[in-house]
Amino acid sequence: MGVKQYQFPEGFLWGGATAANQCEGAWNEDGKGMSVADCSTYKPNVDPKDYVAQHGITSKQVEEAMNSDSTELYGKRHGIDFYHRYEGDLDLFQEMGFKTLRVSIQWTRIYPTGLEEEPNEKGLQFYENLFRAMKQRGIEPLVTLHHYEMPLYLANHYDGWYRREVIDLFIKFCKTVFARYKGLVKYWLTFNEIDSVFRHPFTTIGIVTDRYPQEKLEEIIYQCVHNQFVASALATKYLHQMIPGAQMGCMLTRTLTYPENCHPQNMLLALKTNRENFYYADIQVFGEYPRHILNYWKRNNIHVEFGPGDEEILKCHTVDFVSFSYYMTMVASIDAEKKEKVCGNLTSGVKNPYLDVTEWNWQVDPTGLQYALIDLYDRYRKPLFIVENGLGSKDKVEADGSIIDDYRIEYFRQHIGAIGAAIEDGVDVMGYTPWGCIDLVSMSTCQMSKRYGFIYVDVDDLGHGTYERRKKKSFDWYKKVIATNGADLD
């Protein structure tokens, strides 16, 4: 039985998404400094579903990472060796028909500690080579400026994003890459999943939570993300000045929450939960803080220091489009403590009885993507870009070398169909870049066995393997989807 066919707009940006810290490897080559990602460890004795244990990091663990050259447990140090193999990978992406590829620039390849007066030329040259190779293959770069790759030096010596000086250091980095890649990159993103500051503060803002009084931690995190909002606005300002016609997007984890039922208190709880998620994009789209956040600060004696002109900076330099990741939906319940729970790379919540879950306990909800697109577009009236979506699964290599990932094809068939339905309903969607289009190291668990890609990479959880690339069955399926501009999902 065929699936309904949808008309995707001409010029729709089909592609895939990666992050430098999860794929590049070469963690200490060519002058690169250490980033917060280089401290992330694979924890084989920790339940992959234990979100808090997977993401938590202590001062002692940071010190251990700084004193270790291991790449076995520090999986993001080896990645998939994209740093040395990117041309072959780009050939495969070109074969699939990619119109765009989402990548990120590691701040520490350009300014190893963040404090250097002059940038690292070898780092600049690597990304120039990468972007030129993409353009030669007809692939438009979509570049994230800050994707969980903060210089570790700034986390250790500047309290991460807490200190105001970090804004200026980040803007120096932005101006450097804008100037260098002016003719190569049109589409940019500021902060990856900026709303994740409370879920994993070390990864997102360089805050090691045991270094601070716990009663002040919430205020510290709000200050950090305020500084990122200002940095986002300034980066947008300088992008528009330095590269006329270039576009800047914000990037949100869309943690869509349903009420458990139509009980008015559950409806209200879901409304408030969704509003808290929206707040991070609200500021970057509307240029001002929503009143409910300001009132929350007042009620809870949270003081966030605004610099001179911050409000004007936020108001005058808003983003051009809204991008987001979408993996799963959650359920809000006033009786949550009595209910069965699920979790994911996001947070834990009440299980939705109408949804299947993956082996990593993520709920699969393609209809939720359609809902999220309509909801976001009605709110912001700006073009939307789905820059992460995908299924993490354990893939089996058959005796003949094939990987029959029909489960991944079905996942994407349903989710792409949901995008088509939203477009048919009037939503302006720029493009779609499935996460981990080539297998890479998991952000949340540092595993390789949690695979997302259309392309298999022969690396295990400890970084051992040939690093050989191999097409999965989904490779040819997605190639056909792109070739037909989404018209053939069978």
Side-chain angles (χ1 to χ4, degrees):
M1 179 179 176
V3 296
K4 182 174 178 179
Q5 308 302 326
Y6 291 100
Q7 186 68 44
F8 282 76
E10 187 177 345
F12 189 81
L13 291 169
W14 298 98
T18 64
N21 74 84
Q22 292 168 256
C23 70
E24 282 181 3
W27 73 285
N28 58 0
E29 292 184 33
D30 293 336
K32 180 188 172 295
M34 198 168 180
S35 79
V36 293
D38 296 319
C39 300
S40 297
T41 54
Y42 169 51
K43 301 173 182 176
N45 299 320
V46 174
D47 186 346
K49 300 173 186 176
D50 189 339
Y51 177 84
V52 175
Q54 286 290 347
H55 281 286
I57 192 161
T58 64
S59 298
K60 181 181 178 183
Q61 289 169 326
V62 171
E63 186 177 352
E64 289 172 350
M66 292 173 66
N67 292 324
S68 172
D69 290 327
S70 171
T71 58
E72 285 194 333
L73 292 182
Y74 296 96
K76 291 170 186 172
R77 297 180 179 184
H78 61 72
I80 58 168
D81 196 30
F82 182 76
Y83 189 79
H84 298 110
R85 300 168 185 254
Y86 68 87
E87 293 217 50
D89 292 340
L90 293 180
D91 287 342
L92 289 167
F93 298 149
Q94 181 184 25
E95 184 181 341
M96 264 192 287
F98 277 21
K99 312 300 181 189
T100 190
L101 176 67
R102 182 183 175 209
V103 297
S104 61
I105 296 175
Q106 297 213 60
W107 189 350
T108 53
R109 285 208 191 278
I110 312 303
Y111 291 100
T113 67
L115 297 181
E116 290 78 9
E117 288 297 319
E118 297 297 325
N120 173 31
E121 176 57 30
K122 287 185 177 179
L124 285 171
Q125 189 63 53
F126 166 72
Y127 291 109
E128 180 177 335
N129 294 344
L130 173 62
F131 300 150
R132 289 192 184 281
M134 290 169 66
K135 299 288 270 189
Q136 288 165 5
R137 292 164 175 80
I139 300 172
E140 189 72 43
L142 171 63
V143 178
T144 312
L145 289 161
H146 192 289
H147 195 137
Y148 302 156
E149 294 152 342
M150 182 180 201
L152 182 62
Y153 187 90
L154 298 183
N156 286 336
H157 299 279
Y158 281 72
D159 296 315
W161 273 92
Y162 185 62
R163 285 175 52 179
R164 183 86 187 183
E165 299 97 308
V166 175
I167 297 175
D168 294 333
L169 296 172
F170 179 70
I171 294 304
K172 178 176 69 174
F173 159 68
C174 291
K175 286 181 174 180
T176 298
V177 298
F178 293 161
R180 182 66 171 247
Y181 310 128
K182 182 175 181 178
L184 295 172
V185 182
K186 178 180 178 181
Y187 300 107
W188 299 80
L189 303 176
T190 51
F191 293 89
N192 180 72
E193 295 184 335
I194 193 169
D195 55 289
S196 64
V197 287
F198 286 98
R199 297 196 299 273
H200 38 75
F202 179 67
T203 301
T204 312
I205 49 176
I207 292 294
V208 183
T209 56
D210 67 12
R211 294 176 178 173
Y212 307 94
Q214 295 307 292
E215 66 275 9
K216 296 292 289 182
L217 199 54
E218 185 179 24
E219 180 176 282
I220 288 167
I221 292 174
Y222 272 119
Q223 182 68 62
C224 288
V225 75
H226 171 75
N227 291 342
Q228 287 193 336
F229 288 140
V230 174
S232 172
L234 289 171
T236 303
K237 170 187 174 181
Y238 291 115
L239 177 70
H240 289 158
Q241 287 180 358
M242 297 174 70
I243 315 180
Q247 295 183 35
M248 184 70 83
C250 62
M251 200 288 198
L252 180 75
T253 323
R254 186 63 185 104
T255 55
L256 174 61
T257 300
Y258 302 132
E260 182 186 27
N261 52 40
C262 57
H263 188 298
Q265 291 299 318
N266 282 331
M267 296 291 290
L268 185 61
L269 181 59
L271 173 72
K272 289 184 174 182
T273 304
N274 284 313
R275 190 168 64 161
E276 289 168 3
N277 180 228
F278 283 135
Y279 131 68
Y280 298 90
D282 285 352
I283 294 171
Q284 296 174 87
V285 173
F286 300 133
E288 60 187 28
Y289 274 84
R291 189 174 296 177
H292 69 90
I293 293 294
L294 301 176
N295 287 348
Y296 177 81
W297 290 352
K298 188 175 181 180
R299 287 196 308 272
N300 292 277
N301 297 315
I302 292 171
H303 174 70
V304 175
E305 187 71 33
F306 280 50
D310 278 5
E311 290 175 328
E312 183 180 1
I313 289 168
L314 294 174
K315 194 68 177 175
C316 292
H317 307 292
T318 54
V319 294
D320 303 300
F321 64 95
V322 176
S323 77
F324 65 100
S325 61
Y326 176 86
Y327 292 103
M328 60 184 290
T329 52
M330 309 300 287
V331 172
S333 171
I334 55 174
D335 297 318
E337 68 280 357
K338 303 174 185 175
K339 307 289 182 176
E340 183 182 356
K341 301 293 194 304
V342 292
C343 61
N345 70 330
L346 307 172
T347 183
S348 63
V350 174
K351 187 179 189 307
N352 189 327
Y354 302 102
L355 299 178
D356 293 330
V357 296
T358 72
E359 55 195 306
W360 274 268
N361 217 20
W362 299 19
Q363 298 185 134
V364 178
D365 183 9
T367 303
L369 178 53
Q370 182 182 352
Y371 186 120
L373 283 163
I374 294 169
D375 204 24
L376 284 165
Y377 191 64
D378 283 354
R379 187 179 186 92
Y380 297 128
R381 296 300 171 95
K382 284 186 179 285
L384 303 179
F385 205 141
I386 305 127
V387 296
E388 288 187 31
N389 172 238
L391 176 69
S393 186
K394 291 181 179 177
D395 294 329
K396 180 185 177 185
V397 181
E398 304 293 341
D400 64 358
S402 63
I403 299 106
I404 312 300
D405 58 340
D406 290 325
Y407 40 87
R408 185 168 289 109
I409 292 171
E410 184 58 28
Y411 177 96
F412 282 121
R413 177 185 288 122
Q414 293 183 31
H415 284 77
I416 292 171
I419 300 167
I423 291 171
E424 185 177 76
D425 202 33
V427 178
D428 183 359
V429 185
M430 297 169 62
Y432 178 61
T433 55
W435 176 249
C437 48
I438 182 171
D439 290 346
L440 39 65
V441 175
S442 166
M443 177 270 173
S444 55
T445 61
C446 286
Q447 292 175 283
M448 274 301 301
S449 54
K450 183 184 184 183
R451 298 179 180 273
Y452 286 87
F454 305 112
I455 300 163
Y456 185 91
V457 180
D458 180 34
V459 186
D460 67 15
D461 287 337
L462 293 175
H464 302 154
T466 64
Y467 288 76
E468 176 193 0
R469 275 57 166 160
R470 186 173 295 169
K471 301 173 191 176
K472 304 178 189 178
K473 183 179 179 181
S474 57
F475 181 102
D476 289 318
W477 179 84
Y478 191 49
K479 177 180 179 180
K480 178 187 67 174
V481 170
I482 297 174
T484 62
N485 197 28
D488 187 353
L489 299 179
D490 285 321

